[in-house]
Amino acid sequence: MLIELDKIIDPRGNLTVAQGHDKVPFDIRRAYWVYDVPGGESRGGHAHKQCREFIVAVSGSFSVTLDNGHERRTYLLNRPWQGLLVGTGVWRTLDDFSSGAVCVVLASDDYDEADYIRSYDDFISYTGDKR
């Protein structure tokens, strides 16, 4: 689900804020960013069992494909005041990074390798093969 964040317009430069339980529907436990992605490379390629994420293109653009085991949908992220909410049990792949793109991810949980599903076949088994 795409969520519009408040965009405060100011001639000195615009400002957008993401707060947990305001527009982002969870406590933010972790933030990380992805940048300098070489042309043609993909990021993501996993799902989470418990962790929810809010993905924002704070600079440039990239595509996020979400797969729930039954259907796939691709979102173009290119506005720093808009983010994509990714729930649990959803496979995500980030592609088509523009030059200089910066992806910020706000996560509901601390890093835990046991929360990751890194094989697509394991993901389909986890989702109960809904396809």
Side-chain angles (χ1 to χ4, degrees):
M1 163 192 341
L2 285 174
I3 296 175
E4 296 281 327
L5 300 170
D6 294 331
K7 179 180 178 182
I8 301 164
I9 298 173
D10 186 310
R12 300 169 298 160
N14 299 333
L15 173 73
T16 294
V17 176
Q19 295 183 137
H21 293 289
D22 179 14
K23 299 283 183 159
V24 179
F26 53 78
D27 285 332
I28 299 166
R29 296 282 311 222
R30 178 170 54 117
Y32 62 92
W33 39 101
V34 178
Y35 54 95
D36 292 341
V37 177
E41 289 297 321
S42 294
R43 297 293 309 211
H46 64 268
H48 289 283
K49 299 172 188 171
Q50 300 296 321
C51 185
R52 294 181 288 164
E53 295 183 330
F54 188 73
I55 302 172
V56 180
V58 294
S59 181
S61 66
F62 52 88
S63 296
V64 181
T65 301
L66 301 181
D67 179 339
N68 65 8
H70 177 65
E71 63 182 328
R72 287 185 179 138
R73 182 163 180 198
T74 300
Y75 299 85
L76 174 64
L77 297 184
N78 61 358
R79 296 180 175 104
W81 65 89
Q82 188 178 65
L84 182 63
L85 181 63
V86 182
T88 60
V90 176
W91 189 266
R92 82 282 323 271
T93 307
L94 287 67
D95 296 293
D96 305 320
F97 284 82
S98 68
S99 178
V102 178
C103 167
V104 168
V105 180
L106 306 177
S108 66
D109 296 305
D110 294 334
Y111 176 81
D112 179 2
E113 182 59 32
D115 183 54
Y116 283 76
I117 304 169
R118 296 196 183 270
S119 157
Y120 191 77
D121 288 340
D122 291 345
F123 167 71
I124 292 302
S125 294
Y126 180 81
T127 61
D129 199 7
K130 299 176 191 172
R131 300 203 284 175

